[in-house]
Amino acid sequence: MGRIKSMLFLMLIFCVENLNAQSTVLKPEKVFGLYFNTFVKHDETSLGELNGYLKNFVEADAVYNNNIKATYEQEITSLTNLFLSGFSENIGKECSEDVKNYFTALFDRFKTASYTIKNIETMRNDYSQSQDVSEVFYDVVIKIPGKVSVIDFKNGKKINAKELKSYLKNLTKELLNANKEVSFGEKFNLYQIYKGNNVFYWNGGPQELLWKLNNFYFKNINSGN
């Protein structure tokens, strides 16, 4: 009886280990979702899942160890400083909070974006004949303001703090109340990495997801004015 119990125990351990090994293998659409939610929506849970997945086949220094909240705040601060670099120091001090509120509203708008995967095509990587790449074709839906406030930045030196604050407050409000739905299609590459009989998916520059959305967003905002 003791031998049977021991065998059952060993079989249980084997089954659990096998399930754990299988759980690390994800389909490309799931991997894309982790990248999108991490780098576009700044989702902490997705970052944890993505890192847990990457640790199966990349070195530790290739895992994204950044703190989502800290990174988010750093991006807002960097964009604020960049925006204000074209104005005088006095205007910078007076409008700093309004600029931060604007970029926060913009990034929060990006967080509401949703995507649909239209198709996934796998082909040989042009730069590595021993590797395949899965091209993920996806659509993104996001809301933009129907019309936005404008200001003439060509004469930036003539803009005073009061005018800039008013412009930023209006633009922030318009972003928060955005109700015009727009969509665009893009492609994201997932490079295949083989480990034993398993196939893993990886992209070394996932920030492009946010850059492409950002460019599309501003292009559509500007086209409405």
Side-chain angles (χ1 to χ4, degrees):
M1 188 69 178
R3 180 178 295 180
I4 294 176
K5 287 184 178 180
S6 296
M7 291 182 65
L8 290 173
F9 179 69
L10 290 173
M11 290 176 62
L12 178 61
I13 292 177
F14 174 79
C15 290
V16 170
E17 289 181 347
N18 191 45
L19 286 173
N20 287 336
Q22 292 179 1
S23 67
T24 62
V25 180
L26 302 177
K27 292 184 178 180
E29 51 265 36
K30 173 64 175 179
V31 178
F32 173 82
L34 293 178
Y35 274 120
F36 188 91
N37 291 336
T38 296
F39 290 92
V40 174
K41 297 193 171 189
H42 292 86
D43 181 68
E44 195 80 46
T45 300
S46 294
L47 172 62
E49 290 183 30
L50 179 60
N51 278 338
Y53 174 73
L54 295 177
K55 287 178 181 177
N56 291 292
F57 60 95
V58 299
E59 298 296 331
D61 58 358
V63 173
Y64 304 105
N65 293 315
N66 53 302
N67 179 287
I68 284 289
K69 183 177 180 181
T71 301
Y72 180 82
E73 292 175 351
Q74 185 178 11
E75 288 174 345
I76 297 295
T77 299
S78 296
L79 289 170
T80 298
N81 293 337
L82 179 63
F83 181 90
L84 292 173
S85 63
F87 298 93
S88 68
E89 185 177 345
N90 289 335
I91 289 182
K93 289 181 179 178
E94 289 191 52
C95 300
S96 177
E97 194 63 29
D98 296 292
V99 178
K100 284 184 179 179
N101 290 339
Y102 160 69
F103 281 116
T104 299
L106 179 63
F107 272 56
D108 284 349
R109 177 53 55 198
F110 290 158
K111 288 182 181 180
T112 68
S114 61
Y115 71 87
T116 301
I117 295 178
K118 307 298 291 184
N119 189 32
I120 298 178
E121 298 180 3
T122 299
M123 60 194 66
R124 185 61 66 183
N125 185 358
D126 291 336
Y127 300 100
S128 175
Q129 291 304 307
S130 63
Q131 181 189 54
D132 288 341
V133 57
S134 292
E135 296 183 335
V136 182
F137 295 88
Y138 64 97
D139 285 346
V140 174
V141 176
I142 192 170
K143 290 183 178 179
I144 67 171
K147 189 171 180 62
V148 296
S149 301
V150 295
I151 192 170
D152 186 9
F153 283 109
K154 292 181 180 179
N155 297 316
K157 293 183 179 180
K158 296 182 179 181
I159 298 175
N160 58 47
K162 183 178 179 181
E163 292 173 324
L164 186 59
K165 285 175 72 70
S166 177
Y167 164 74
L168 290 167
K169 288 181 182 297
N170 288 335
L171 193 56
T172 300
K173 184 177 180 180
E174 289 157 357
L175 282 172
L176 293 173
N177 296 318
N179 56 10
K180 180 182 178 182
E181 200 170 78
V182 293
S183 65
F184 76 104
E186 261 299 347
K187 181 186 74 171
F188 185 73
N189 288 338
L190 289 174
Y191 299 93
Q192 295 188 8
I193 294 180
Y194 319 113
K195 189 175 181 181
N197 295 323
N198 296 326
V199 179
F200 296 92
Y201 300 89
W202 155 266
N203 184 293
Q207 295 83 357
E208 70 172 88
L209 290 165
L210 183 59
W211 297 340
K212 289 177 178 178
L213 178 57
N214 181 75
N215 291 337
F216 170 80
Y217 202 85
F218 280 101
K219 180 180 179 181
N220 276 269
I221 287 180
N222 294 331
S223 67
N225 291 280

